[in-house]
Amino acid sequence: MKARRIVLLGPPGSGKGTQAVRLAKLLNVPHVSAGDLLRSEVQHRTELGLKAQSFMDRGELVPDHLVAEMIQRQLKETTGFVLDGFPRNLQQAEILAGITDVDRVLHFTLDRGEIVRRLSARRVCPQCGRVYNLLSSPPKQNNICDACETALTQRTDDTPEVIQRRIDVQYAREIGPMLEFYRSRSVLREVNAQGDVESVYRAAQRALE
Ligand code: AP5
């Protein structure tokens, strides 16, 4: 398996974060998550975080230049990565191409009903960041993180209205031109994200071969 500069595309809730953690471990490269980085900026009330928060709360994309600078800083020091949540539109794909080549782009596909089902049941640990799902991967104790015993929370953008907006505004509207961009570079592979976590992981590994 030679690909080490990996980009994950897909609708919200398609498992990009879940699979990125596994693939990064497998390939021994950093997992760079645009969403996690932005949430950390918001939590620390940085200048970027204060600018980003209202976009994120509405389920809209944070302006390209703000996100691009943040991602560029993360990619500067590394020769391999699993990049999750960037790019989100054609302009960001072009920015990324100016920063680094990518070996493989995996596009996770999932139907709308399953997206809503997964995101409505997602819970996260505010302390260590571990992600759970009440339906597919619940914590051992009700609402308590297995790793650090902190009470789990729900992401503020995992409400039904914001989920629909994220699907429509961030994904459905933007994905077509990006797929074309990567298809024309022969790095795009489709991954059916409908199965359980293990079967999607196996499909993702096959797509890297
Ligand atoms: P971000 O955090 O990236 O949100 P997202 O793209 O909407 O993706 P999610 O984190 O919701 O889903 P995921 O695909 O990672 O799924 P997960 O593995 O968690 O971005 C947040 C916000 O930041 C954006 O809305 C935007 O405002 C801003 N932003 C981010 N990047 C930006 C950019 N480049 N430009 C501008 N703005 C940007 O899985 C979901 C749930 O399902 C979990 O509970 C999980 O346990 C479960 N699950 C996972 N896989 C399976 C499976 N196979 N079967 C059953 N359950 C599963």
Side-chain angles (χ1 to χ4, degrees), residues 15-30:
K16 302 181 296 296
T18 302
Q19 299 299 336
V21 169
R22 290 168 169 242
L23 293 172
K25 204 165 167 192
L26 175 78
L27 300 170
N28 197 23
V29 296

Side-chain angles (χ1 to χ4, degrees), residues 10-16 88 110 115 119 163 166-167 170-171:
S14 58
K16 302 181 296 296
R88 301 260 182 168
L110 189 64
I115 292 173
L119 290 184
I163 293 170
R166 285 157 63 201
I167 299 172
Q170 296 187 23
Y171 178 73

Side-chain angles (χ1 to χ4, degrees), residues 10-19 33-36 38-39 52 55-57 59-64 67 84-88 92 114 118-119 121-123 131-134 136-137 155 157-158 166 170 193-198 200:
S14 58
K16 302 181 296 296
T18 302
Q19 299 299 336
S33 160
D36 287 350
L38 285 168
R39 276 184 291 279
F55 295 97
M56 295 171 75
D57 286 346
E60 291 171 12
L61 289 177
V62 174
D64 293 339
V67 184
D84 145 28
F86 189 94
R88 301 260 182 168
Q92 291 186 6
E114 180 65 9
R118 285 188 192 174
L119 290 184
R122 175 163 58 185
R123 296 293 182 274
V131 177
Y132 295 87
N133 193 282
L134 299 183
S136 57
S137 53
R155 264 172 54 173
D157 59 352
D158 278 348
R166 285 157 63 201
Q170 296 187 23
Q194 201 74 35
D196 62 23
V197 172
E198 277 307 320
V200 177

Side-chain angles (χ1 to χ4, degrees), residues 83-95:
L83 186 51
D84 145 28
F86 189 94
R88 301 260 182 168
N89 57 27
L90 183 59
Q91 194 184 336
Q92 291 186 6
E94 285 165 348
I95 292 171

Side-chain angles (χ1 to χ4, degrees), residues 5 15 76-77 96 98 104 117 122 126 132 148 152 190 195:
R5 295 169 296 183
K76 212 159 65 186
E77 309 269 310
L96 181 63
R104 201 57 57 85
R117 210 171 75 92
R122 175 163 58 185
Y132 295 87
C148 68
L152 302 180
E190 298 283 342

